[in-house]
Amino acid sequence: IPVALPVIGTEDFFTLQEIQILDAIPAQGTQQPTQGPQDYALQPTNAIPIIPNAYTTVRVSSDWLHSGIKTRDMDVASSKEEIYAFLNAYNTRPQVFLEIEGYRMKTRVVTGTQTDANGNVRSTTRTETYKVTDFRYGVDITQFVYPYGKIASKDGTFTTEEYMERFANDRNKLKALRMKKVIIGFDFNFLESQVRAYLRALGYRHSISVRTHTRNKSVRIVSNSRLASFWDNPAARILSWVTLVPGLSLTLYGAGHRGNQLYSHFIMRATPVQIFAAIRPQLWVTGVYRGCVIS
């Protein structure tokens, strides 16, 4: 019988002061995080304090390439304090959902004609395999993600505040600072296996795919230079590599000034078993009739 990995508890993740701050915030419609064993080192010394309900008027735009948002505001890009406030304001939990699909592979014979170099026409037959999707839907589990993450640097080279200060003082026209949101300490594989097992129990016998997807998982601060605007455009970047020299030059120029320097670590409010029990009423299958699977 598969066993889920242990869940992280609040004491393992937040400092006592942060717990007191968060407890003072009105509940957002779901239970408090389940307590788990304290064998995780999840209070990084370089993490910056959480600022609940942080607010900023900085203009942002969609950053679809990284599944998040970005800003080109000059004041943010050149001030450590503005960076700090901006990242806290947009340190919202990522959207997490399960994509569930039931499908089967079938074969069919395809006939056609082929004309040779001499103009002779002959009949051809071939067998091909194709996919038939019986059902496909998503189940949103975002509500089980704790609303606030802990922002910390990617590695121990610099502290979080040092990364912010270095970025603010950087004069490179291609500079970009990215905060990537990640969920830690949760066994998504176990949750996916529980869903698959339940769909099997409902009578579906063909292939089942259950995958976890995450959106709203990135916050970026990008230089407001025209060069950065050009390099941030995927089409323009591909075009620059067609002639090779511009692409190589810009890559070397921006090296070390862009990337995932910061992470925001989020935890889940409940165990995989508890989340499965909560979403079970939303799970269904088709292709089953009177206990028999339709082939």
Side-chain angles (χ1 to χ4, degrees):
I1 300 175
V3 178
L5 295 176
V7 174
I8 298 172
T10 48
E11 290 86 351
D12 306 303
F13 191 69
F14 298 107
T15 64
L16 178 59
Q17 183 179 7
E18 288 170 339
I19 291 176
Q20 293 171 344
I21 294 174
L22 296 174
D23 285 345
I25 301 173
Q28 301 195 12
T30 52
Q31 62 181 359
Q32 291 298 310
T34 302
Q35 304 304 310
Q38 301 183 13
D39 44 17
Y40 294 87
L42 296 175
Q43 294 183 15
T45 56
N46 60 2
I48 61 176
I50 293 174
I51 304 178
N53 303 320
Y55 178 75
T56 180
T57 58
V58 172
R59 183 177 179 180
V60 299
S61 59
S62 174
D63 192 11
W64 62 269
L65 190 63
H66 296 89
S67 186
I69 59 100
K70 64 183 177 182
T71 183
R72 299 184 182 277
D73 190 280
M74 187 187 314
D75 293 334
V76 175
S78 58
S79 169
K80 172 185 171 182
E81 292 72 22
E82 291 292 336
I83 295 172
Y84 183 89
F86 177 77
L87 293 181
N88 267 285
Y90 285 95
N91 189 26
T92 55
R93 56 186 166 191
Q95 180 186 5
V96 185
F97 66 96
L98 300 176
E99 181 186 52
I100 302 169
E101 180 182 21
Y103 64 94
R104 47 207 159 95
M105 306 304 295
K106 303 191 74 172
T107 58
R108 60 189 172 193
V109 177
V110 180
T111 60
T113 59
Q114 188 176 37
T115 304
D116 60 22
N118 298 322
N120 300 318
V121 179
R122 62 187 182 88
S123 299
T124 61
T125 60
R126 60 185 175 86
T127 302
E128 68 176 17
T129 303
Y130 64 100
K131 179 179 177 181
V132 177
T133 299
D134 290 321
F135 57 88
R136 184 179 181 182
Y137 58 95
V139 177
D140 194 337
I141 59 174
T142 305
Q143 62 174 319
F144 299 104
V145 183
Y146 207 80
Y148 301 100
K150 297 203 71 169
I151 304 174
S153 61
K154 181 179 180 180
D155 51 46
T157 306
F158 300 103
T159 67
T160 306
E161 293 189 352
E162 286 174 339
Y163 267 119
M164 293 180 182
E165 188 168 1
R166 287 171 60 86
F167 178 77
N169 297 329
D170 192 350
R171 295 295 175 258
N172 188 285
K173 294 184 181 299
L174 286 179
K175 72 174 185 177
L177 178 69
R178 183 186 180 195
M179 179 183 74
K180 185 177 180 180
K181 304 175 184 179
V182 294
I183 298 174
I184 60 174
F186 185 82
D187 195 344
F188 283 102
N189 289 331
F190 183 80
L191 176 59
E192 293 169 2
S193 69
Q194 291 286 94
V195 173
R196 281 192 294 268
Y198 180 69
L199 299 183
R200 288 274 183 243
L202 292 180
Y204 192 75
R205 294 292 179 268
H206 295 299
S207 299
I208 298 174
S209 171
V210 182
R211 294 182 294 177
T212 304
H213 294 282
T214 308
R215 295 172 181 166
N216 181 34
K217 59 183 179 181
S218 174
V219 179
R220 288 203 305 152
I221 304 172
V222 184
S223 169
N224 68 339
S225 69
R226 292 184 179 180
L227 191 62
S229 179
F230 171 83
W231 193 241
D232 228 29
N233 187 313
R237 188 178 300 189
I238 293 174
L239 182 63
S240 70
W241 277 105
V242 172
T243 54
L244 187 62
V245 175
L248 181 60
S249 300
L250 290 175
T251 299
L252 293 175
Y253 174 67
H257 302 272
R258 304 168 67 88
N260 305 336
Q261 299 95 328
L262 301 178
Y263 278 97
S264 181
H265 297 148
F266 287 79
I267 59 174
M268 300 296 282
R269 291 176 175 267
T271 67
V273 174
Q274 290 171 327
I275 293 178
F276 169 71
I279 68 173
R280 186 167 55 186
Q282 303 177 53
L283 304 178
W284 51 270
V285 299
T286 59
V288 178
Y289 180 68
R290 293 183 181 177
C292 300
V293 180
I294 300 175
S295 61

